Amino acid sequence: MKIRTIYCPYCNILMEYMGTERMQLGKSGFFTENLSNILSGAMTVSIYECPQCGKLELFRFKKTKRK
Ligand SMILES: [Zn+2]
């Protein structure tokens, strides 16, 4: 996947790419009830962190459409 160039909105410096993380959206069904068709209970996000203030920026990791 492509790494984006993102600047911290507070510090105006380049944010560091931290990698991807798989996030569970809960198994109770509260979240997954509406989104299960799309997410099937979890999603993968790309994480960027500002080395100065620690602000985190998350981006949804999009799968390529395939049938
Ligand atoms: Zn910052």
Side-chain angles (χ1 to χ4, degrees):
M1 70 168 289
K2 213 173 177 183
I3 294 176
R4 307 170 194 225
T5 302
I6 299 166
Y7 290 88
C8 176
Y10 304 104
C11 313
N12 272 319
I13 58 174
L14 193 64
M15 296 179 80
E16 290 178 359
Y17 178 66
M18 305 297 287
T20 58
E21 193 77 42
R22 197 171 158 82
M23 296 184 77
Q24 286 290 332
L25 295 178
K27 290 168 185 173
S28 62
F30 176 74
F31 246 122
T32 55
E33 194 172 350
N34 291 328
L35 302 171
S36 58
N37 289 337
I38 311 163
L39 302 172
S40 62
M43 67 175 177
T44 305
V45 293
S46 306
I47 303 172
Y48 295 79
E49 180 180 1
C50 172
Q52 188 162 306
C53 71
K55 160 145 179 71
L56 294 176
E57 200 77 76
L58 302 180
F59 290 90
R60 173 90 170 274
F61 185 85
K62 288 178 182 173
K63 294 174 184 171
T64 50
K65 287 179 183 176
R66 200 182 296 167
K67 276 198 171 180

